[in-house]
Amino acid sequence: MSENARINPCDIIRKKRFGGELSEKEIHAFVQGVVDGSFADYQISALLMAICIQGMTDRETLALTLEMARSGDMLDLSGIPGVKADKHSTGGVGDTTSLILVPLVACCGVKMAKMSGRGLGFTGGTLDKLESIPGMRVDLSIEAFEAQVNRIGCAIIGQTAELAPADKVLYALRDVTATVDCLPLVVSSILSKKMAAGCDVVVLDVKTGSGAIMDTPEKSRLLAETMVRIGNLSGKRFSALITDMDQPLGNYIGNALEVEEAIDVLAGRTRGALRDVSLQLGAHILRNAGVVESVEAGVCLLEEKIDSGEGLRRFAQMIEAQGGDPLVTQDTSRLPKAKAKIELKAGSNGYLAAIRTADVGNAAKLLGAGRERKTDEIDPSVGIVMHKRVGDQVSRGDVLATLHVGERSDKIGAYNLLQSALLLSDTPVKAPALVHAVVE
Ligand code: URA
Ligand code: CA
């Protein structure tokens, strides 16, 4: 008789329903039941809802995280000497920091062995962006992944099916039971994957604002603090930055468009929010890995890697190692380009006061940059280029944004949604802060 047979799903659900603290044994039985199918979807869903309503203690959240991490392979990256670092964002729009900081940090001697995800909801996914580079592969075996990191210091691949399989089941059920934005469930989902992925240093980018999973500074701070607290209990070094998602981070939204902007940043041509947040995240990795004494020194070192061209060359090496066309880093016209463009112009004078960021992401999705269903195919060429940021003065007729459209784009839907997402005001507005807080 398996251990699970002795623990009845109903008993666990009832205990949590009335606010009890689940034991490690009960959490183990639950995660086992999720993976081996002995808990029915409706029982899992009932427990997820009870967790949402009653919450979890740190002890429970840690146990859930570890059980989810152990539900599949725990990667052993000990074949890669030196400090191995990873970075994770809770998801955003125009959030292309990984493509920038991975090669830059690798240039400073820290191994970036990064596992990334695909787009989710209105947020973009690093794997989808990388695949817009002709020939680029993200499905390397673990052996090829390790070998590449040993050879050039960095690689970005997709999570293998064997990594935290319990999260796949739970995430799919959360998505359809209104239990996504629940603190212990977000924490265990993200951290289980980071713990299974085998890195020593992890920097979390917790977004806050109208394009973030947690939309208020208070909720984002609680998420960041809980993840760092639970993460550090595992023996790895975690830090979190709480960064702004009250407008898209970069000005380019869409897969090939975001690769282009990342190349522009690495080439030193583009400055601003995307570059600044990438450097801050990268500098925290360098500091936590012991390469520099301070975050400021880390930013300086990373800036040198941009100015010398090393960062861009390292990105080209990574692309080539994963089967892609490295010449895109020299000539971005080699990336997929949309057939047509549509300009969205300001209807009046004023200031760009606020952006409903999730809707900018949703507009890009309507153009074909994201998926409505898991099986939908992405059009790598489409997306949106923003020409104004919050706080900018605008005159009637100024182009606020350019839509890059394809044959399958819902042009009118995207145009209308984007227009309604950009709010103008008569009075000046302050630009939002970029980094709201650092949690160590
Ligand atoms: N990203 C994840 O991987 N899981 C969550 O629950 C939220 C964001
Ligand atoms: Ca971008």
Side-chain angles (χ1 to χ4, degrees), residues 86-91 95 98-99 114-121 123-131 138 156-160 163 167-168 193-194 255 371 378:
D86 197 354
K87 164 258 165 190
H88 187 88
S89 158
T90 57
D95 181 26
S98 289
L99 301 191
K114 173 129 182 58
M115 287 205 176
S116 290
R118 298 202 176 269
L120 185 73
T123 68
T126 298
L127 299 183
D128 298 322
K129 296 172 199 177
L130 283 174
E131 282 180 345
V138 294
I156 302 179
I157 64 167
Q159 276 147 16
T160 64
L163 196 87
D167 181 60
K168 291 197 176 64
K193 288 174 281 192
K194 296 296 113 182
N255 295 286
R371 297 178 187 81
I378 277 180

Side-chain angles (χ1 to χ4, degrees), residues 88 90 171 174 185-186 189-190 193 213:
H88 187 88
T90 57
Y171 202 96
R174 286 166 60 205
L185 297 181
V186 176
S189 168
I190 292 176
K193 288 174 281 192
I213 188 169

Side-chain angles (χ1 to χ4, degrees), residues 94 96 250-252 258 261 274:
T96 322
N251 293 325
Y252 287 42
E258 292 188 44
E261 193 173 30
L274 174 60

Side-chain angles (χ1 to χ4, degrees), residues 147-380:
Q148 181 178 323
V149 175
N150 274 328
R151 191 161 55 82
I152 62 171
C154 56
I156 302 179
I157 64 167
Q159 276 147 16
T160 64
E162 309 321 320
L163 196 87
D167 181 60
K168 291 197 176 64
V169 178
L170 295 180
Y171 202 96
L173 289 173
R174 286 166 60 205
D175 208 17
V176 292
T177 56
T179 54
V180 170
D181 59 340
C182 160
L183 188 71
L185 297 181
V186 176
V187 169
S188 54
S189 168
I190 292 176
L191 288 187
S192 62
K193 288 174 281 192
K194 296 296 113 182
M195 288 183 184
C199 284
D200 317 299
V201 166
V202 184
V203 170
L204 302 166
D205 183 7
V206 177
K207 303 292 186 185
T208 190
S210 61
I213 188 169
M214 299 295 185
D215 53 357
T216 68
E218 296 73 34
K219 284 195 261 179
S220 303
R221 177 174 271 281
L222 196 58
L223 175 60
E225 287 174 351
T226 309
M227 285 203 290
V228 169
R229 198 170 60 241
I230 304 274
N232 285 340
L233 288 176
S234 74
K236 298 174 192 290
R237 176 136 187 210
F238 278 81
S239 294
L241 274 66
I242 300 174
T243 69
D244 183 66
M245 199 33 77
D246 258 332
Q247 63 181 326
L249 180 58
N251 293 325
Y252 287 42
I253 300 128
N255 295 286
L257 286 169
E258 292 188 44
V259 171
E260 179 173 346
E261 193 173 30
I263 289 169
D264 287 342
V265 170
L266 284 169
R269 288 187 290 270
T270 292
R271 292 181 173 266
L274 174 60
R275 169 175 158 136
D276 292 346
V277 171
S278 303
L279 294 180
Q280 284 294 322
L281 291 166
H284 277 83
I285 294 175
L286 293 181
R287 202 261 330 255
N288 291 0
V291 172
V292 290
E293 295 273 319
S294 67
V295 172
E296 294 69 31
V299 170
C300 285
L301 191 54
L302 294 167
E303 281 178 326
E304 281 171 25
K305 304 299 180 190
I306 292 179
D307 295 341
S308 67
E310 264 182 90
L312 187 62
R313 283 197 296 278
R314 191 66 63 105
F315 189 41
Q317 281 182 321
M318 186 180 90
I319 292 171
E320 188 164 31
Q322 296 184 215
D325 173 10
L327 293 177
V328 296
T329 59
Q330 304 299 319
D331 174 8
T332 53
S333 75
R334 299 172 77 92
L335 290 165
K337 295 289 171 194
K339 299 274 178 310
K341 296 178 193 176
I342 301 171
E343 292 182 334
L344 173 67
K345 293 181 179 172
S348 58
N349 296 329
Y351 298 85
L352 183 54
I355 298 180
R356 283 203 273 266
T357 309
D359 279 344
V360 178
N362 281 322
K365 204 165 91 173
L366 288 176
L367 293 175
R371 297 178 187 81
E372 209 63 63
R373 279 164 232 243
K374 252 171 69 178
T375 48
D376 286 353
E377 221 177 290
I378 277 180
D379 182 341

Side-chain angles (χ1 to χ4, degrees), residues 67-80:
E67 286 297 338
M68 286 168 69
R70 293 179 193 133
S71 69
D73 293 345
M74 300 286 281
L75 281 196
D76 173 14
L77 297 182
S78 59
I80 304 173

